[in-house]
Amino acid sequence: MRTELDHLPANKRRELDRVVQILFEEFEDAHGKPEGDRKLGRIHKIILYGSYARGGWVDEPHTAKGYQSDFDLLVIVNQKELTDRVAYWERAEERLNRERSITQNLKTPVNFIVHTLQEVNDGLAHGRSFFIDVARDGIALYQSEDSELHQPKPKTPQQAYDAATEYFDEWFSLALASQKGFHFYMSQKEFRHAAFTLQQACESLYHCVLLVMTFYTPHVHNLAFLRTQAERESNHLFEAWPRDNARARARFAKLKDAYVKARFSKHYRITEEELNWLAERVDELGRLVHEDCTARIAELRAAL
């Protein structure tokens, strides 16, 4: 795996150094010292993938569209327990967000996923193109000496077609079911329930397109993270969400927060007008996801 970052500007390399430092510091604090039979937790690798690894990133936060590519990182650990995002990585995520939004030590958004080495190697063995792309294009920001990735085994054309078709049928149907729930709750003026079910519809659409395109989706509910991952696979999806004004961004943030806050926080508020606007955007996202997924499945069918 490559380790050089010569294609990146010096300021981006410094930011990545800072990100790696934060991930290690917060992981060590969360893990603590092993006791009794508890094994020593380790980070095997931290891999940069996506646009900053391949080249071709966008860094235009001050333009009309305001688009800025994220640092996409895969953290590989030695124990399944350590992939628990809440227990081991929540503070790291909060600190990275704080260093960007408050202290501004980081200028680039950071997204990271966590898997065990076995999970990554299983993904390579089962031809999940996400992991194959990471193994091919990724750049190791850190790696221990004993953590080699297995050789990828791409799916056969028939396996790829069958998997993509199954994923699409399952996840697009889940999105449609959640949208039905949304309309029911709207008819009852139960806006918090409506917000949660609309969040579920949006989440299912992103899982759908990621699974059809890459045979992998991260086990997260964060819509902002899923949106970034999905748009990395299809720029077409960028059209679903306006980013050129603060009101549109705030409304998307309310939808993202609905997964937890609409159910558990008495302070969560969302209006009928906001929900109607969000529903229109999720409808548009559904149209784009359907278009992209059916086109991908047609390509896979043609390859049989």
Side-chain angles (χ1 to χ4, degrees), residues 164-295:
T165 301
E166 183 177 344
Y167 284 137
F168 177 72
D169 290 344
E170 177 183 2
W171 286 93
F172 202 81
S173 295
L174 287 173
L176 292 176
S178 292
Q179 285 180 298
K180 289 179 183 178
F182 165 77
H183 289 297
F184 169 77
Y185 287 123
M186 288 293 286
S187 71
Q188 303 300 305
K189 304 296 184 181
E190 296 181 10
F191 296 146
R192 285 173 57 178
H193 285 84
F196 172 71
T197 52
L198 189 62
Q199 187 278 341
Q200 290 288 278
C202 189
E203 181 182 325
S204 295
L205 288 170
Y206 281 130
H207 287 310
C208 179
V209 73
L210 285 167
L211 286 163
V212 169
M213 297 293 184
T214 73
F215 311 117
Y216 166 82
T217 190
H219 302 302
V220 299
H221 303 285
N222 185 324
L223 286 186
F225 179 58
L226 291 172
R227 181 174 72 173
T228 296
Q229 298 301 298
E231 290 172 353
R232 185 170 58 84
E233 299 301 325
S234 172
N235 291 334
H236 193 207
L237 301 178
F238 190 85
E239 301 170 13
W241 297 103
R243 294 164 170 84
D244 57 355
N245 66 82
R247 186 176 68 171
R249 294 193 296 271
R251 287 177 172 180
F252 178 80
K254 279 195 175 185
L255 184 63
K256 176 182 74 70
D257 291 344
Y259 179 74
V260 173
K261 293 182 179 180
R263 293 180 293 165
F264 303 120
S265 174
K266 64 181 180 180
H267 302 295
Y268 183 82
R269 297 287 185 273
I270 192 164
T271 67
E272 185 173 10
E273 179 187 1
E274 290 171 327
L275 283 166
N276 285 329
W277 183 89
L278 288 166
E280 290 178 0
R281 304 323 306 160
V282 173
D283 284 344
E284 176 64 8
L285 176 65
R287 185 188 70 79
L288 296 170
V289 167
H290 188 278
E291 187 176 303
D292 285 353
C293 288
T294 53

Side-chain angles (χ1 to χ4, degrees), residues 23 26-27 30-31 38 42 75-93 112-116 119 219-221:
L23 289 173
E26 295 302 330
F27 171 74
H31 183 259
R38 188 180 177 193
R42 293 179 60 198
V75 181
I76 302 178
V77 294
N78 67 332
Q79 300 172 33
K80 177 63 176 175
E81 173 193 359
L82 303 178
T83 65
D84 186 322
R85 200 167 186 93
V86 173
Y88 293 97
W89 300 100
E90 188 173 47
R91 284 177 54 186
E93 187 171 12
F112 67 92
I113 55 176
V114 185
H115 284 288
T116 63
E119 287 173 335
H219 302 302
V220 299
H221 303 285

